[in-house]
Structures are given as C-alpha cells and as structure tokens.
Amino acid sequence: MLTITEVSRRSGVASSALRFYEDRGLIRAERAGSGHRRYPRPVLRRIAFIVFAQRIGLTLDEIGRELAKLPPDRAPSRTEWEQLSSNWSDRIDARIAELERLKLGLTECIGCGCLSLDRCKLANPGDCAGELGPGPRYWIG
Ligand code: FES
C-alpha cells in the first residue's frame, strides 16, 4: 500500500488531482487507522491510464466508463487491459490525424474565420469555411 505522497511522487500527478480522481470514482483508496489514504500499488497503472486518456481527449466521464469495465477488487489482468485499449484504436487514430493536420497547418489557413493571413483570401475567401460549422474547419477535417 502506498501513501498519497508516494503515489504522487511515482505518478507525477499532484495530490490534489489524486483526491479529485478519487472524488470522481476513478481511483479508490483505503483508509489507514489514522484516516490517511492508502492506495494499492496497481493504482499507478490506473492513474497512468487516466493521464494518457485525458491527453488523447477523453473526458473524465468517458474515462470513468472505461475504468468501470475493470474489476474493482483486484489488479486487472493483461487481457483486461488489452480489451480496454482495443476500444481506443479509432480514437487514437483520429487524434493522430488531428495532430498531423495541426502540425502541417500551423502556418496555413485553418478556416477559423480570422482571415488574418495573406493566404486566407485564397483558401477561405469571405470565410466560406464558416458555412461548414464553427471552429477551424480545415483543421477539424
Ligand atoms: S487562418 Fe483563420 S481564416 Fe484563415
């Protein structure tokens, strides 16, 4: 069992964020006799999952639904983690495509409506991209 300080140090996640994750039901702690939190070591893997999932754009509700598929009373097996991550392939592919567009389009017109680059007049005359919906239309894809 690990203290919150040990979990924070090892995971790189602030203690306040760990308490927030616990409040949201994403991780669980037991209470020592002193009332202090004690985390089972496999919590580190769950936290890594949460951090990574947030980076690829999952909301905390979505992360909670994914984590709810894991057994609550023991460390998940490799197979159980595999099943969870296999559901993410499409999401990760979409995120990679977004990042590629971001990388390639940083100096190009992204169809955001600003019309501030000299290329906007050609690529997005009169903000015609805005007819497709809100946001940077050429980034959204
Ligand atoms: S970069 Fe904003 S509309 Fe072209």
Side-chain angles (χ1 to χ4, degrees), residues 21-87:
Y21 291 160
E22 191 179 340
D23 288 346
R24 294 292 301 256
L26 302 177
I27 60 175
R28 292 193 355 207
E30 295 174 16
R31 299 286 177 198
S34 60
H36 294 136
R37 292 172 168 83
R38 292 289 183 267
Y39 296 91
R41 186 164 282 273
V43 78
L44 291 169
R45 195 172 175 93
R46 286 177 84 97
I47 294 166
F49 178 90
I50 294 165
V51 170
F52 180 71
Q54 287 182 297
R55 283 192 190 164
I56 66 165
L58 266 72
T59 67
L60 288 178
D61 286 342
E62 289 173 314
I63 295 168
R65 282 196 293 275
E66 292 296 318
L67 288 174
K69 296 173 186 169
L70 298 175
D73 50 348
R74 63 173 171 78
S77 67
R78 183 189 180 106
T79 303
E80 287 163 335
W81 280 115
E82 266 175 20
Q83 285 169 347
L84 206 62
S85 59
S86 68
N87 296 334

Side-chain angles (χ1 to χ4, degrees), residues 108-117 119-120 123-124 127 138:
E108 302 295 326
C109 174
I110 57 174
C112 65
C114 72
L115 303 177
S116 61
L117 300 183
R119 296 168 200 221
C120 294
N124 188 23
D127 192 25
Y138 301 153

